[in-house]
Amino acid sequence: MTESAAQQQDKPAAAAKEPAQKKEEALPEAPEAVPAGEAPQKPAEKSAEQLLKEQLEAAEKKIAENYDLYVRAMADLENTRKRANAEVLKAHKYGIEKFAANLLPVIDSFEKAIDHAADDQGPLKEGLLAVYRQMVHAMEISGMKCFDPKGQKFDPNFHQAVSMVPASESAAPGTVAVVFQKGWMIQERVLRPAMVAVAQG
Protein backbone atom coordinates (compact mmCIF):
# COMPACT_ATOMS: atom_id res chain seq x y z
CA MET A 1 0.00 0.00 0.00
CA THR A 2 1.34 3.39 -0.93
CA GLU A 3 1.72 6.35 1.45
CA SER A 4 -1.06 8.33 -0.25
CA ALA A 5 -3.48 5.46 0.23
CA ALA A 6 -2.64 5.33 3.97
CA GLN A 7 -3.29 9.03 4.33
CA GLN A 8 -6.67 8.67 2.68
CA GLN A 9 -7.64 5.89 5.14
CA ASP A 10 -6.67 8.10 8.14
CA LYS A 11 -8.86 11.08 6.98
CA PRO A 12 -12.26 9.46 7.74
CA ALA A 13 -11.07 8.58 11.25
CA ALA A 14 -9.91 12.14 11.92
CA ALA A 15 -13.17 13.52 10.52
CA ALA A 16 -15.10 11.29 12.92
CA LYS A 17 -13.16 12.61 15.92
CA GLU A 18 -13.77 16.32 15.11
CA PRO A 19 -17.62 16.29 15.56
CA ALA A 20 -17.22 14.52 18.89
CA GLN A 21 -14.86 17.21 20.10
CA LYS A 22 -17.26 19.99 18.98
CA LYS A 23 -20.13 18.29 20.85
CA GLU A 24 -18.08 18.22 24.02
CA GLU A 25 -17.26 21.91 23.66
CA ALA A 26 -20.98 22.81 23.10
CA LEU A 27 -22.25 21.15 26.34
CA PRO A 28 -22.97 23.66 29.16
CA GLU A 29 -21.10 23.44 32.40
CA ALA A 30 -22.80 21.39 35.09
CA PRO A 31 -23.90 23.33 38.24
CA GLU A 32 -21.71 23.05 41.24
CA ALA A 33 -22.79 20.40 43.64
CA VAL A 34 -24.38 21.58 46.93
CA PRO A 35 -22.56 20.17 49.95
CA ALA A 36 -24.46 17.48 51.79
CA GLY A 37 -26.64 18.74 54.69
CA GLU A 38 -27.02 22.31 53.35
CA ALA A 39 -30.43 23.19 51.87
CA PRO A 40 -30.65 25.91 49.28
CA GLN A 41 -31.43 29.32 50.86
CA LYS A 42 -34.99 30.70 50.36
CA PRO A 43 -36.50 34.02 51.52
CA ALA A 44 -37.98 33.77 55.02
CA GLU A 45 -41.71 33.31 54.94
CA LYS A 46 -44.08 33.62 57.98
CA SER A 47 -46.44 30.78 58.57
CA ALA A 48 -50.18 31.32 58.78
CA GLU A 49 -50.04 30.58 62.51
CA GLN A 50 -47.45 33.31 63.11
CA LEU A 51 -49.51 35.83 61.12
CA LEU A 52 -52.65 35.00 63.11
CA LYS A 53 -50.73 35.33 66.37
CA GLU A 54 -49.41 38.77 65.41
CA GLN A 55 -52.88 39.91 64.32
CA LEU A 56 -54.34 38.68 67.62
CA GLU A 57 -51.70 40.56 69.63
CA ALA A 58 -52.37 43.75 67.66
CA ALA A 59 -56.14 43.36 68.18
CA GLU A 60 -55.69 42.79 71.95
CA LYS A 61 -53.48 45.90 72.17
CA LYS A 62 -56.10 47.95 70.32
CA ILE A 63 -58.84 46.64 72.62
CA ALA A 64 -56.80 47.64 75.70
CA GLU A 65 -56.27 51.14 74.28
CA ASN A 66 -59.97 51.56 73.48
CA TYR A 67 -60.98 50.30 76.94
CA ASP A 68 -58.61 52.79 78.57
CA LEU A 69 -60.15 55.60 76.49
CA TYR A 70 -63.63 54.40 77.47
CA VAL A 71 -62.75 54.38 81.19
CA ARG A 72 -61.29 57.88 80.93
CA ALA A 73 -64.32 59.16 79.05
CA MET A 74 -66.71 57.70 81.64
CA ALA A 75 -64.65 59.23 84.47
CA ASP A 76 -64.74 62.64 82.75
CA LEU A 77 -68.49 62.29 82.23
CA GLU A 78 -69.04 61.41 85.90
CA ASN A 79 -66.89 64.35 87.04
CA THR A 80 -68.82 66.67 84.73
CA ARG A 81 -72.12 65.37 86.13
CA LYS A 82 -70.94 65.90 89.71
CA ARG A 83 -69.74 69.42 88.93
CA ALA A 84 -73.06 70.25 87.27
CA ASN A 85 -75.00 68.95 90.29
CA ALA A 86 -72.75 70.92 92.62
CA GLU A 87 -73.32 74.08 90.58
CA VAL A 88 -77.09 73.55 90.67
CA LEU A 89 -77.01 73.00 94.44
CA LYS A 90 -74.81 76.05 94.88
CA ALA A 91 -77.21 78.14 92.80
CA HIS A 92 -80.13 76.99 94.98
CA LYS A 93 -78.27 77.73 98.19
CA TYR A 94 -76.52 80.99 97.27
CA GLY A 95 -78.55 82.33 94.35
CA ILE A 96 -80.04 85.11 96.49
CA GLU A 97 -76.76 85.99 98.21
CA LYS A 98 -76.36 89.32 96.42
CA PHE A 99 -80.01 90.25 96.99
CA ALA A 100 -79.76 89.33 100.68
CA ALA A 101 -76.56 91.34 101.11
CA ASN A 102 -78.36 94.37 99.65
CA LEU A 103 -81.19 93.93 102.17
CA LEU A 104 -78.91 93.89 105.23
CA PRO A 105 -78.52 97.70 105.40
CA VAL A 106 -82.33 97.98 105.43
CA ILE A 107 -82.51 95.60 108.40
CA ASP A 108 -79.73 97.57 110.12
CA SER A 109 -81.76 100.75 109.65
CA PHE A 110 -84.82 99.12 111.21
CA GLU A 111 -82.73 98.02 114.20
CA LYS A 112 -81.43 101.56 114.72
CA ALA A 113 -84.95 102.97 114.42
CA ILE A 114 -86.19 100.50 117.03
CA ASP A 115 -83.31 101.43 119.36
CA HIS A 116 -84.15 105.14 119.05
CA ALA A 117 -87.81 104.40 119.79
CA ALA A 118 -86.96 102.29 122.83
CA ASP A 119 -88.66 104.73 125.20
CA ASP A 120 -91.66 105.28 122.95
CA GLN A 121 -94.81 103.26 123.44
CA GLY A 122 -97.38 103.29 120.70
CA PRO A 123 -98.39 102.10 117.25
CA LEU A 124 -95.26 103.50 115.55
CA LYS A 125 -92.91 101.35 117.57
CA GLU A 126 -95.19 98.32 117.24
CA GLY A 127 -95.26 98.83 113.49
CA LEU A 128 -91.47 99.03 113.27
CA LEU A 129 -91.13 95.84 115.32
CA ALA A 130 -93.70 94.02 113.19
CA VAL A 131 -91.97 94.92 109.91
CA TYR A 132 -88.56 94.06 111.37
CA ARG A 133 -89.74 90.63 112.55
CA GLN A 134 -91.27 89.90 109.14
CA MET A 135 -88.04 90.79 107.34
CA VAL A 136 -85.91 88.69 109.69
CA HIS A 137 -88.34 85.76 109.30
CA ALA A 138 -88.18 86.07 105.50
CA MET A 139 -84.40 85.99 105.66
CA GLU A 140 -84.37 82.95 107.95
CA ILE A 141 -86.73 80.83 105.85
CA SER A 142 -84.49 81.66 102.85
CA GLY A 143 -81.48 80.09 104.57
CA MET A 144 -80.02 83.12 106.35
CA LYS A 145 -79.59 83.79 110.04
CA CYS A 146 -78.23 86.57 112.20
CA PHE A 147 -75.56 86.05 114.88
CA ASP A 148 -74.45 88.24 117.76
CA PRO A 149 -70.92 87.23 118.90
CA LYS A 150 -70.71 89.34 122.06
CA GLY A 151 -68.64 87.52 124.70
CA GLN A 152 -67.37 84.92 122.21
CA LYS A 153 -63.72 84.36 121.37
CA PHE A 154 -62.63 86.52 118.46
CA ASP A 155 -62.61 84.60 115.16
CA PRO A 156 -61.40 86.47 112.05
CA ASN A 157 -63.46 84.12 109.88
CA PHE A 158 -66.69 85.46 111.38
CA HIS A 159 -65.74 88.77 113.02
CA GLN A 160 -64.31 92.01 111.71
CA ALA A 161 -62.38 93.84 114.43
CA VAL A 162 -62.53 97.62 114.09
CA SER A 163 -61.12 98.60 117.49
CA MET A 164 -59.59 97.32 120.72
CA VAL A 165 -60.93 98.00 124.23
CA PRO A 166 -59.45 97.26 127.65
CA ALA A 167 -60.34 93.87 129.06
CA SER A 168 -62.88 93.83 131.89
CA GLU A 169 -64.81 91.40 134.06
CA SER A 170 -67.47 91.09 131.36
CA ALA A 171 -64.97 90.84 128.49
CA ALA A 172 -61.99 88.52 128.86
CA PRO A 173 -58.88 89.21 126.79
CA GLY A 174 -59.25 88.08 123.19
CA THR A 175 -63.05 88.04 123.27
CA VAL A 176 -65.64 90.25 121.59
CA ALA A 177 -66.41 93.14 123.96
CA VAL A 178 -68.70 95.27 121.79
CA VAL A 179 -70.80 94.46 118.72
CA PHE A 180 -71.30 97.43 116.42
CA GLN A 181 -73.05 95.48 113.70
CA LYS A 182 -74.42 91.93 113.84
CA GLY A 183 -73.17 89.30 111.45
CA TRP A 184 -75.19 87.25 109.00
CA MET A 185 -74.77 83.72 107.61
CA ILE A 186 -76.22 82.22 104.43
CA GLN A 187 -76.31 78.47 104.86
CA GLU A 188 -72.78 77.66 106.12
CA ARG A 189 -71.16 80.68 104.46
CA VAL A 190 -70.56 84.10 106.02
CA LEU A 191 -72.79 86.63 104.28
CA ARG A 192 -71.44 89.49 106.37
CA PRO A 193 -68.98 89.31 109.28
CA ALA A 194 -69.93 90.95 112.55
CA MET A 195 -68.28 94.33 113.17
CA VAL A 196 -66.82 94.19 116.68
CA ALA A 197 -64.41 95.60 119.23
CA VAL A 198 -62.05 93.09 120.85
CA ALA A 199 -60.86 93.11 124.44
CA GLN A 200 -57.12 93.55 124.75
CA GLY A 201 -55.14 90.73 126.26
Side-chain angles (χ1 to χ4, degrees), residues 166-183:
S168 63
E169 293 181 358
S170 61
T175 61
V176 176
V178 182
V179 177
F180 300 110
Q181 190 178 66
K182 294 178 182 179

Side-chain angles (χ1 to χ4, degrees), residues 122-140:
L124 179 60
K125 182 178 179 181
E126 293 299 324
L128 287 173
L129 287 171
V131 176
Y132 174 75
R133 292 190 189 104
Q134 288 178 348
M135 291 191 68
V136 171
H137 178 68
M139 298 282 279
E140 288 176 347

Side-chain angles (χ1 to χ4, degrees), residues 17 107 145 154:
K17 288 180 180 180
I107 294 177
K145 61 182 180 180
F154 175 74

Side-chain angles (χ1 to χ4, degrees), residues 144-198:
M144 284 155 283
K145 61 182 180 180
C146 177
F147 65 92
D148 186 345
K150 186 174 182 179
Q152 297 177 6
K153 186 177 180 180
F154 175 74
D155 186 345
N157 295 314
F158 298 92
H159 313 143
Q160 180 182 356
V162 294
S163 64
M164 301 289 289
V165 297
S168 63
E169 293 181 358
S170 61
T175 61
V176 176
V178 182
V179 177
F180 300 110
Q181 190 178 66
K182 294 178 182 179
W184 281 85
M185 301 284 294
I186 178 168
Q187 303 296 340
E188 66 278 0
R189 180 187 297 180
V190 175
L191 180 62
R192 184 184 72 183
M195 189 179 298
V196 302
V198 181

Side-chain angles (χ1 to χ4, degrees), residues 29-59:
E29 295 182 358
E32 295 182 359
V34 178
E38 293 185 8
Q41 296 181 352
K42 294 182 179 180
E45 294 181 0
K46 294 181 180 179
S47 65
E49 182 179 352
Q50 289 176 330
L51 289 173
L52 287 175
K53 186 176 181 181
E54 290 178 359
Q55 291 175 356
L56 178 60
E57 290 176 354

